[in-house]
Amino acid sequence: MTAARIDLSAGTWRARAVRYVGLYLVLALTLVAARFLTQDVRPDLRDAQKREAMLTTERDDLELRVQALGNPQRVRAWAAKNGMRRFAEAPKTTAALTGVPAPAPLPAQTTLEVRTAWR
């Protein structure tokens, strides 16, 4: 058996070194390009978070205003201001119902049948 010889010459080491340096340069350029292309992502994200916080605060304020406007005391005050009266305090008039036909008489005896089935 012959032992495999490992090439340890200067030319081989130089070729390997050039290859590795080239790979590192390509990787570094790729990373720099990715950073350059995504440099606006973080500020845009911060702006979106600020807008979200403002909209959440505005929504909460509007919910409180709706609850305040829907308060029963406030509704009663608005109704009184617009000339409305509570039903219990309003004058009531009664009149006989005329022009309404009398209902048909019911049959003398009605039966109801119920059948229960257990399963």
Side-chain angles (χ1 to χ4, degrees):
M1 283 176 74
T2 56
R5 261 185 74 79
I6 299 175
D7 188 12
L8 299 176
S9 65
T12 304
W13 285 105
R14 188 177 306 119
R16 286 183 186 169
V18 168
R19 235 183 356 242
Y20 288 141
V21 167
L23 286 173
Y24 289 137
L25 284 175
V26 169
L27 179 61
L29 287 175
T30 303
L31 291 174
V32 168
R35 178 66 180 126
F36 177 75
L37 293 174
T38 60
Q39 66 185 353
D40 293 335
V41 171
R42 186 70 180 157
D44 292 345
L45 180 62
R46 284 188 184 136
D47 292 341
Q49 288 172 338
K50 287 177 186 175
R51 282 194 309 267
E52 181 186 13
M54 284 181 6
L55 289 173
T56 302
T57 304
E58 184 179 353
R59 183 201 62 202
D60 293 342
D61 292 342
L62 289 174
E63 280 183 15
L64 287 174
R65 287 182 58 196
V66 165
Q67 288 175 3
L69 292 174
N71 189 350
Q73 291 85 7
R74 190 172 178 107
V75 170
R76 270 191 232 112
W78 176 85
K81 185 173 114 180
N82 288 301
M84 298 180 192
R85 287 183 268 170
R86 293 178 54 202
F87 179 76
E89 297 169 353
K92 291 156 189 80
T93 57
T94 59
L97 295 175
T98 58
V100 178
L106 294 175
Q109 182 181 10
T110 58
T111 59
L112 175 66
E113 238 183 84
V114 177
R115 189 173 291 179
T116 305
W118 294 91
R119 292 185 184 192

